[in-house]
Amino acid sequence: MTTNRHEEVGLTNDDVLKMFETMLMARRIDERMWLLNRAGKIPFVISCQGQEAAQVGAAFALDNTKDYIAPYYRDMGVVLHFGMTAKDLMLSAFAKAEDPNSGGRQMPGHFGQKKNRILTGSSPVTTQLPHAVGVALAAKMEKKDFISFVTLGEGSSNQGDFHEGLNFAGVHQLPCITMVENNKYAISVPFDRQVASKNIADRAISYGMPGIEVDGKDPIAVYKVVKEAADRARSGGGPSLIEAVMYRLTAHSSDDDDRQYRTAEDIAEGKALDPLILFSKYLRDLDILPVKLEKEINERIMELVNEATDYAEAAPYADPEDALKHVYASIDGGNE
Ligand SMILES: Cc1ncc(C[n+]2csc(CCOP(=O)(O)OP(=O)(O)O)c2C)c(N)n1
Ligand SMILES: [Mg+2]
């Protein structure tokens, strides 16, 4: 018998249904993007598939009306919970002028949206970590109640920015949560060729903060540890490092062929442990998500994905004259 684990961590049935809906929305947008890429309509996809549970579970544990997030390129589940829409994401995939992330200048997955406190990210991996630590420093200096949340891949945790950012956050006890999404590969490089320690969470010891490894396929487990970290951060208890472990269900990107370096067994193992399927089974077993409701939710989402695709495909590209907009300050002192 399936036991109800979400009520134990303070989540209602409505909360877990909303979590499922956001996870499914991320998956359906991502799947559409692959189709559009293979049809030659959009240039690039970098997937969230397999990581939605950790992303949505973590985002739910934050306050999406005041906290700041510095997501990495796979974090569609995080940015959707913080207010980005299917339309916003499709405008980015088609690189159209109305794309709120960068006006079509950046590659997809480079999220940024001021109104939702989503920090603009750069392409060099992990540069977002010191940025998030800086936001947490501002919260502490100004005695504000917000916290910051930053994510990255496990391969990226070998970059210098990881050490510099986490050490600073630990020394100054800043309200910043770092979540490493360990999908076991950095492009083609498997975990044991990237990292000498047994996991990433243990690295927290040297930064003077708690390090917690969690099942990244389970949104409730991730919610619990991120909520505890958020409560700690908000009450002056300092930063935390969380490692969510999951599978990357696609190739690294639409330009990669993972059959070159991954066995068929490895790919099949990941697919059998798809977090969306596991979570929908959990909800169905508890009678929270009957088959009919799941179908209705899926249809509602597909309508939004279709609308977003049509809108973004028809939307205009940026004018060539706008290429330098927001790049240099203007003579009259503005930044446009
Ligand atoms: C500083 C830097 N080095 C290399 C790259 C190229 N690159 C982009 S993604 C990636 C792999 C990152 O792997 P991981 O951190 O595990 O994240 P995942 O893609 O698996 O989610 C690399 C090497 C980069 N963007 N920035
Ligand atoms: Mg990885």
Side-chain angles (χ1 to χ4, degrees):
M1 212 187 85
T2 302
T3 42
N4 183 322
R5 294 182 295 108
H6 61 274
E7 281 178 358
E8 279 170 25
V9 299
L11 289 166
T12 64
N13 288 355
D14 278 351
D15 290 334
V16 283
L17 274 178
K18 180 87 193 38
M19 281 169 128
F20 176 75
E21 190 157 342
T22 307
M23 284 167 62
L24 191 63
M25 173 66 96
R27 176 67 60 92
R28 294 292 182 247
I29 295 170
D30 200 288
E31 287 170 344
R32 172 59 54 84
M33 287 178 175
W34 279 90
L35 281 178
L36 291 166
N37 175 266
R38 292 321 194 218
K41 294 195 174 196
I42 64 170
F44 186 73
V45 189
I46 190 131
S47 254
C48 65
Q49 292 188 40
Q51 306 190 194
E52 301 94 334
Q55 296 170 359
V56 175
F60 248 79
L62 305 171
D63 185 332
N64 64 355
T65 65
K66 62 182 179 198
D67 293 338
Y68 282 75
I69 57 170
Y72 94 119
Y73 44 83
R74 298 198 193 279
D75 275 331
M76 208 184 282
V78 177
V79 297
L80 281 170
H81 185 68
F82 267 72
M84 205 171 277
T85 64
K87 194 167 113 182
D88 294 337
L89 292 160
M90 280 297 173
L91 283 162
S92 155
F94 278 95
K96 295 299 176 74
E98 211 189 317
D99 159 31
N101 296 280
S102 70
R105 291 171 172 81
Q106 259 289 21
M107 290 168 84
H110 289 67
F111 305 112
Q113 195 172 33
K114 192 172 179 183
K115 72 170 183 184
N116 287 320
R117 297 164 319 289
I118 303 173
L119 267 62
T120 302
S122 259
S123 291
V125 294
T126 327
T127 45
Q128 69 274 21
L129 200 152
H131 296 168
V133 170
V135 170
L137 177 64
K140 186 167 182 180
M141 288 170 73
E142 294 178 11
K143 299 191 171 42
K144 297 267 174 64
D145 184 33
F146 62 80
I147 64 175
S148 66
F149 173 74
V150 57
T151 55
L152 60 146
E154 82 293 342
S156 305
S157 73
N158 301 313
Q159 286 281 131
D161 301 82
F162 181 84
H163 172 66
E164 291 166 34
L166 288 189
N167 189 55
F168 192 89
V171 167
H172 297 282
Q173 287 293 291
L174 301 179
C176 177
I177 301 171
T178 300
M179 183 170 86
V180 172
E181 298 185 28
N182 179 358
N183 59 14
K184 305 181 181 95
Y185 281 92
I187 311 186
S188 58
V189 183
F191 188 83
D192 64 0
R193 297 282 85 202
Q194 303 173 41
V195 180
S197 60
K198 90 176 187 324
N199 66 9
I200 304 289
D202 285 357
R203 292 179 166 182
I205 298 167
S206 58
Y207 302 123
M209 64 177 78
I212 306 117
E213 187 182 327
V214 65
D215 179 0
K217 304 188 300 317
D218 179 356
I220 299 166
V222 176
Y223 170 86
K224 180 173 182 286
V225 296
V226 177
K227 182 74 173 60
E228 285 165 0
D231 290 347
R232 219 170 18 245
R234 257 184 252 285
S235 58
S240 303
L241 173 64
I242 290 163
E243 175 186 6
V245 185
M246 72 277 279
Y247 291 88
R248 194 188 76 198
L249 294 185
T250 64
H252 173 73
S253 75
S254 53
D255 293 341
D256 175 41
D257 179 0
D258 57 347
R259 291 169 304 181
Q260 301 293 323
Y261 56 85
R262 247 171 141 175
T263 62
E265 292 75 38
D266 179 23
I267 294 172
E269 186 184 329
K271 296 238 190 283
L273 296 170
D274 181 334
L276 257 170
I277 294 173
L278 297 178
F279 196 41
S280 89
K281 183 176 179 319
Y282 169 81
L283 297 173
R284 201 166 43 247
D285 287 351
L286 292 176
D287 251 347
I288 297 169
L289 184 68
V291 175
K292 187 163 167 282
L293 179 60
E294 185 166 355
K295 194 163 168 272
E296 276 167 29
I297 292 174
N298 190 51
E299 279 166 8
R300 190 162 68 236
I301 286 173
M302 286 317 296
E303 229 169 87
L304 289 170
V305 173
N306 288 339
E307 271 171 33
T309 308
D310 292 346
Y311 183 92
E313 188 169 11
Y317 286 108
D319 291 329
E321 302 76 56
D322 286 344
L324 298 183
K325 200 174 167 188
H326 303 306
V327 176
Y328 297 104
S330 67
I331 288 168
D332 62 13
N335 64 355
E336 296 196 14

